[in-house]
């Protein structure tokens, strides 16, 4: 049987205009590997907890204290919980509460001449980690873009590098994703 590739569209909730990515991943990837795909594709730095919600069942890293009941994402393959048309939820950073909708757009046989996973498209830069969720990101963008804003210098110093919220290039995430295999 041919290896199946899942075409996923990952959209970040609560941000306008929309930040999204399209990725191609093997269906045999476990959810912990899908977590890393999302982190690389979106531009997150994997500094916080996360959880998948699939049909009301939560998957993630088991909590040794038992405070968060989740099924172990290491034991669950994407192709065991999703088909074409499935919508999954992914939450990253329980403080900032970044919610993502992941739509399985297609499931196709792997091209033997293509290396997976890969990022094939998307729009807009991902918000920086620890910016304060969707509301904090709106405040950040306002201050960052306006030299007259009282927090402009502080936001630029906090971020430490240039930031263009409208820019996205799928090549760097694909390079990172290829290192996963």
């Amino acid at each position: 049987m041919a290896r199946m590739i899942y075409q996923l569209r990952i959209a970040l909730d609560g941000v306008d205009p929309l930040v999204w990515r399209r990725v191609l991943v093997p269906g045999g990837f476990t959810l912990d590997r899908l977590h890393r795909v999302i982190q690389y594709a979106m531009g997150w730095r994997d500094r916080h907890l996360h959880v998948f919600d699939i049909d009301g069942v939560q998957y993630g890293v088991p909590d040794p204290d038992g405070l968060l009941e989740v099924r172990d994402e290491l034991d669950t393959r994407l192709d065991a919980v999703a088909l074409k048309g499935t919508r999954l939820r992914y939450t990253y950073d329980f403080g900032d509460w970044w919610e993502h909708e992941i739509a399985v757009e297609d499931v196709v046989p792997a091209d033997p001449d293509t290396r997976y996973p890969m990022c094939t498209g998307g729009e807009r830069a991902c918000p920086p980690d620890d910016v304060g969720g969707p509301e904090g990101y709106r405040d950040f963008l306002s201050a960052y873009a306006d030299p007259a804003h009282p927090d402009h210098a502080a936001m630029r110093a906090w971020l430490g590098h240039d930031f263009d919220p409208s820019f996205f290039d799928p090549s760097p995430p694909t390079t990172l994703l290829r290192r996963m295999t």
Side-chain angles (χ1 to χ4, degrees):
M1 184 168 146
R3 184 169 71 138
M4 301 305 287
I5 299 301
Y6 279 55
Q7 179 177 298
L8 306 176
R9 185 175 188 274
I10 306 160
L12 183 60
D13 292 347
V15 176
D16 185 32
L18 185 65
V19 173
W20 65 273
R21 304 291 183 263
R22 180 165 288 117
V23 296
L24 300 175
V25 299
F29 268 25
T30 56
L31 293 181
D32 72 304
R33 292 185 87 189
L34 179 57
H35 158 70
R36 286 185 279 150
V37 167
I38 295 166
Q39 290 289 304
Y40 291 148
M42 292 302 292
W44 299 120
R45 303 232 184 237
D46 199 9
R47 297 179 182 168
H48 304 283
L49 295 174
H50 67 277
V51 68
F52 288 93
D53 188 304
I54 306 168
D55 293 329
V57 178
Q58 293 193 329
Y59 301 84
V61 177
D63 181 1
D65 298 324
L67 300 174
L68 180 64
E69 289 194 32
V70 296
R71 291 192 182 170
D72 192 339
E73 64 186 13
L74 285 168
D75 298 335
T76 307
R77 289 171 42 139
L78 178 60
D79 58 10
V81 294
L83 304 167
K84 181 178 178 178
T86 299
R87 294 192 180 280
L88 315 131
R89 302 294 300 169
Y90 171 80
T91 303
Y92 170 64
D93 185 350
F94 299 161
D96 281 3
W97 205 257
W98 292 109
E99 290 191 277
H100 306 70
E101 180 181 75
I102 303 169
V104 180
E105 294 181 318
D106 208 354
V107 179
V108 297
D111 178 338
D113 297 324
T114 301
R115 288 183 56 203
Y116 302 99
M118 66 188 312
C119 182
T120 62
E123 288 185 357
R124 304 196 52 83
C126 186
D129 264 314
D130 301 319
V131 77
E135 186 175 323
Y137 184 52
R138 283 188 289 280
D139 294 343
F140 166 80
L141 288 176
S142 177
Y144 191 87
D146 180 3
H149 192 285
D151 294 328
H152 178 77
M155 286 295 172
R156 284 187 159 297
W158 170 75
L159 188 59
H161 57 81
D162 286 337
F163 183 77
D164 178 354
S166 65
F167 180 77
F168 175 70
D169 175 5
S171 298
T174 293
T175 298
L176 290 170
L177 290 170
R178 297 250 166 93
R179 293 178 183 161
M180 288 180 60
T181 57

